[in-house]
Amino acid sequence: GNSVTQMEGPVTLSEEAFLTINCTYTATGYPSLFWYVQYPGEGLQLLLKATKADDKGSNKGFEATYRKETTSFHLEKGSVQVSDSAVYFCALRSTGGFKTIFGAGTRLFVKA
Amino acid sequence: GAGVSQSPSNKVTEKGKDVELRCDPISGHTALYWYRQSLGQGLEFLIYFQGNSAPDKSGLPSDRFSAERTGGSVSTLTIQRTQQEDSAVYLCASSLARAEELFFGEGSRLTVL
């Protein structure tokens, strides 16, 4: 079945450091891929998405590229801020499907 | 309301009691989802509604779990004879029909003593 694996946290960085959170997936066909973020005390919200191979999703300085050959969708940001401290979830949805499958989440702490 | 609303935000109950968790989706969203988030685990899919019908109930962990949706809007997740392993955060999300972006509520944290 379809699944998502992402790096375990927590990840602790200093402000302005480079961020990478790894995500790989298992799925048949060409699923859509997502990153959701959960800030403290809030519900999950969509951060970015990509719907086909080689697409790059981007938002708020975060980027992720859909790599079919490596079945990956790693999240990156060049310079993190304290306000980026949150839990990040990688997710996929099969084409035409209704079920979004989530990874376990990666908690990010950014220190001033 | 502007977003997905869930109640109660926190519920502490004794083992063996029944609990009801409520979700009020964004107005106009026909799709509604329930997920469970246990400590250290990802989001576990429970059930999906399109309108009032639930095409897929396969994610419900046992027959103690049930969910309904009335009027194509509010949904209730009921857990009967709660067990300690039911302790988790129960998340509700809604979306426009067939849209991929999910809008989540803040969740209902259930603690079974």
Side-chain angles (χ1 to χ4, degrees):
Chain A
N2 297 344
S3 66
V4 175
T5 302
Q6 59 182 108
M7 63 188 288
E8 288 189 24
V11 174
T12 303
L13 296 173
S14 296
E15 208 164 23
E16 299 184 3
F18 184 86
L19 168 71
T20 300
I21 300 178
N22 291 337
C23 171
T24 57
Y25 68 90
T26 301
T28 55
Y30 294 86
S32 294
L33 302 176
F34 309 86
W35 278 99
Y36 280 80
V37 59
Q38 185 176 30
Y39 297 104
E42 299 183 14
L44 278 78
Q45 57 187 271
L46 181 66
L47 178 60
L48 54 83
K49 71 175 186 180
T51 57
K52 60 182 187 293
D54 299 325
D55 265 3
K56 178 185 286 187
S58 61
N59 186 24
K60 299 182 180 180
F62 290 89
E63 293 183 340
T65 301
Y66 189 141
R67 301 287 188 201
K68 181 69 175 175
E69 64 277 13
T70 54
T71 61
S72 65
F73 193 55
H74 304 321
L75 182 68
E76 296 182 336
K77 186 173 185 182
S79 175
V80 293
Q81 305 300 312
V82 172
S83 57
D84 293 327
S85 297
V87 181
Y88 293 82
F89 293 88
C90 186
L92 71 80
R93 186 168 188 172
S94 297
T95 303
F98 61 83
K99 186 187 298 187
T100 301
I101 295 170
F102 289 83
T106 303
R107 184 176 295 277
L108 170 66
F109 292 105
V110 180
K111 303 180 297 184
Chain B
V4 177
S5 177
Q6 291 188 245
S7 61
S9 55
N10 270 289
K11 176 72 176 179
V12 180
T13 190
E14 294 180 347
K15 178 181 172 181
K17 301 282 190 182
D18 297 352
V19 297
E20 283 190 352
L21 306 177
R22 176 189 167 105
C23 173
D24 200 343
I26 293 172
S27 178
H29 281 193
T30 58
L32 186 146
Y33 307 78
W34 284 99
Y35 285 85
R36 179 167 70 173
Q37 184 178 20
S38 302
L39 189 63
Q41 304 295 314
L43 274 67
E44 176 189 5
F45 170 83
L46 298 179
I47 191 168
Y48 155 73
F49 287 93
Q50 183 61 253
N52 289 338
S53 64
D56 187 341
K57 301 180 181 179
S58 63
L60 294 176
S62 74
D63 59 8
R64 295 186 295 104
F65 287 72
S66 62
E68 64 175 13
R69 188 179 187 194
T70 55
S73 181
V74 172
S75 176
T76 303
L77 177 68
T78 301
I79 309 173
Q80 295 179 309
R81 306 181 301 282
T82 52
Q83 304 295 312
Q84 289 185 331
E85 61 262 28
D86 298 335
S87 296
V89 177
Y90 290 83
L91 297 172
C92 177
S94 69
S95 72
L96 294 168
R98 304 201 177 280
E100 292 188 320
E101 180 177 0
L102 303 184
F103 293 81
F104 282 84
E106 293 183 23
S108 292
R109 181 177 297 278
L110 174 65
T111 302
V112 182
L113 302 177

